[in-house]
Amino acid sequence: MKALLLENIHPLAVEILEGRGFEVELLTHSMSEDELVAALPGVSLLGIRSNTNVTARVLDAAPDLLAVGCFCIGTNQVDLPGAAERGVAVFNAPFSNTRSVVELVIGEIIVLARRLAEKTEKMHAGIWDKSAQGSHEIRGRTLGIVGYGNIGTQLSNLAEAMGLRVIFFDTADRLAHGNAQRMKTLDELLERADVVSLHVDGRPGNAGLFGAEQFAKMKPRSLFINAARGMVVDTESLREHILSGHIAGAAMDVFPIEPKAQGDPFESPLRGLDNVILTPHVGGSTQEAQEEIGYFVANKLAGFALEGRTELSVDLPTVSAPALQTGHRLGYLHDNVPGVLAAVNQLIAEAGANVVGQYLATTGELGYVVTDSTEAIPAEVVAALAANEHCRWVRTWDV
């Protein structure tokens, strides 16, 4: 089987997949929709980061595709309903680069509070500007975290350890860490925070979450950080509030439109502004994070393709089957309707196979059952399951 890895994914992923028997092609750039359509026939596994979009048209043109690995946190660049409909598993790395993003944000808070971006620019221009004007410690200041998931909670812990007061807002019911305080509304957080840091996901409902209205409600001379998704923030409104002096500084790691390849020109209304840090979507781009992501996602892809395991899949039912050491395995993805499991077991029993383990889960319109046996599942059983009107796919593995 062939794996195609795009966007300069860590070489450890190549090593792992090749070690499991895959032929791997590694490219440093992303691909357009047309390029993917042309490249994916014959490809079993696709690895991407945030700049490659897997659309319904791409999925239709990929008859051999088993799984997509997002070597990052986000999965909004993949048509998840379309992938689930076609039985293509999608995996991501929800935890692997958390620390890297948090450390970047902590560093940006300090740099913005001390106005170091301006200081270093003047020094490079040969200007000695030794002044404490507008420069502050972060100790005792209030950090408002919007989105209190994996990254938001770890940021909360580190920020509190450095002397910041932490408040947060999340639409989900999240447990407060340490002394962090939950805010009932986003407006309440904006009114109280000296620094606002966004850590929301890329769901469509978050598009345009932060615009002129939200910036106007922030405290005068507060700081703003976005290391979440570019489409969440109206950068034109942010520019206006920085120029007016209402926002004292900002750090942006993600943008509504980002260059596709290394070295491509970058345009933003935030370029050239004082005390604004612009970084090229590198929140999770540390050697440690990329190595961990490569290890994690590559193993998830191989585990699904070679053993039918769907732990932490974001679109298919998640079945935590053990690694297949010896024996035979049947995986059956089907419509979530009554009677399917009974039919599977009846066919296997009639064939005389001895079942030693069975693992199943359902989610939404899909169900998935993995059955291990000491004898190979007869071809006629596989054919009968494949012919069922509720079958999405059926596969077998033998060790």
Side-chain angles (χ1 to χ4, degrees):
M1 291 188 287
K2 183 177 179 179
L4 174 62
L5 305 182
L6 306 178
E7 303 185 66
N8 207 26
I9 288 167
H10 196 278
L12 180 58
V14 178
E15 180 183 332
I16 289 170
L17 292 173
E18 287 182 341
R20 300 293 298 271
F22 291 90
E23 174 192 343
V24 181
E25 181 180 4
L26 175 65
L27 301 177
T28 60
H29 57 81
S30 61
M31 281 189 173
S32 67
E33 185 180 61
D34 288 341
E35 289 171 329
L36 282 173
V37 166
L40 285 181
V43 171
S44 300
L45 303 178
L46 173 64
I48 63 172
R49 293 176 73 184
S50 56
N51 273 342
T52 300
N53 293 310
V54 181
T55 64
R57 177 172 169 243
V58 169
L59 293 167
D60 284 337
D64 305 301
L65 189 63
L66 301 178
V68 175
C70 298
F71 286 73
C72 52
I73 294 177
T75 57
N76 55 296
Q77 68 274 41
V78 180
D79 179 1
L80 295 179
E85 176 69 22
R86 295 162 179 80
V88 175
V90 179
F91 299 94
N92 68 336
F95 315 111
S96 301
N97 65 359
T98 300
R99 178 71 183 205
S100 295
V101 175
V102 169
E103 287 189 3
L104 177 69
V105 172
I106 290 289
E108 288 172 337
I109 294 172
I110 296 171
V111 168
L112 291 173
R114 297 293 299 273
R115 305 192 71 82
L116 298 183
E118 294 173 70
K119 298 293 185 185
T120 189
E121 184 178 356
K122 288 183 178 179
M123 291 290 284
H124 279 287
I127 301 171
W128 184 265
D129 180 23
K130 184 180 179 181
S131 168
Q133 184 176 1
S135 180
H136 300 277
E137 293 182 357
I138 65 170
R139 179 182 53 177
R141 301 220 151 207
T142 299
L143 169 63
I145 301 173
V146 182
Y148 206 64
N150 298 323
I151 293 175
T153 52
Q154 187 163 153
L155 174 60
S156 177
N157 294 332
L158 289 187
E160 189 172 298
M162 298 183 70
L164 284 151
R165 291 189 293 266
V166 178
I167 59 177
F168 70 92
F169 172 75
D170 199 308
T171 56
D173 188 15
R174 305 287 191 182
L175 176 67
H177 286 215
N179 295 314
Q181 292 181 283
R182 179 193 310 276
M183 299 293 101
K184 295 180 180 178
T185 66
L186 177 59
D187 287 353
E188 184 182 4
L189 179 141
L190 299 180
E191 292 167 2
R192 294 180 55 179
D194 298 301
V195 183
V196 173
S197 188
L198 301 189
H199 300 284
V200 298
D201 61 28
R203 70 187 68 181
N206 285 332
L209 174 68
F210 240 83
E213 179 183 352
Q214 288 71 36
F215 287 121
K217 290 177 179 178
M218 289 175 61
K219 290 176 65 174
R221 306 302 295 166
S222 55
L223 304 173
F224 178 77
I225 296 173
N226 183 20
R229 298 290 184 274
M231 55 82 168
V232 172
V233 176
D234 179 353
T235 51
E236 289 285 356
S237 294
L238 177 56
R239 174 185 172 85
E240 293 171 7
H241 283 81
I242 291 173
L243 289 175
S244 72
H246 182 68
I247 303 298
M252 303 288 286
D253 186 50
V254 289
F255 305 89
I257 300 175
E258 297 182 356
K260 288 293 184 183
Q262 193 85 338
D264 283 356
F266 165 70
E267 297 295 335
S268 170
L270 301 174
R271 286 179 54 190
L273 297 182
D274 290 343
N275 208 32
V276 173
I277 303 169
L278 303 178
T279 50
H281 205 149
V282 294
S285 295
T286 61
Q287 289 297 310
E288 294 84 356
Q290 293 307 305
E291 181 175 347
E292 178 60 29
I293 290 170
Y295 175 86
F296 185 88
V297 179
N299 276 302
K300 287 289 178 283
L301 291 172
F304 175 72
L306 302 178
E307 302 177 50
R309 301 163 64 188
T310 58
E311 295 99 332
L312 295 182
S313 169
V314 297
D315 65 328
L316 299 187
T318 56
V319 172
S320 298
L324 185 60
Q325 303 293 337
T326 59
H328 309 272
R329 173 168 290 175
L330 180 141
Y332 189 45
L333 184 71
H334 57 86
D335 295 331
N336 185 15
V337 297
V340 173
L341 182 60
V344 170
N345 288 335
Q346 182 177 350
L347 285 169
I348 293 175
E350 290 174 352
N354 180 34
V355 174
V356 294
Q358 195 165 57
Y359 319 91
L360 68 152
T362 61
T363 178
E365 298 179 353
L366 295 175
Y368 182 48
V369 57
V370 171
T371 303
D372 290 344
S373 65
T374 53
E375 296 82 26
I377 305 296
E380 56 268 24
V381 171
V382 177
L385 291 172
N388 189 288
E389 61 177 326
H390 298 298
C391 176
R392 298 298 180 96
W393 52 252
V394 57
R395 298 176 188 141
T396 58
W397 299 269
D398 303 288
V399 176

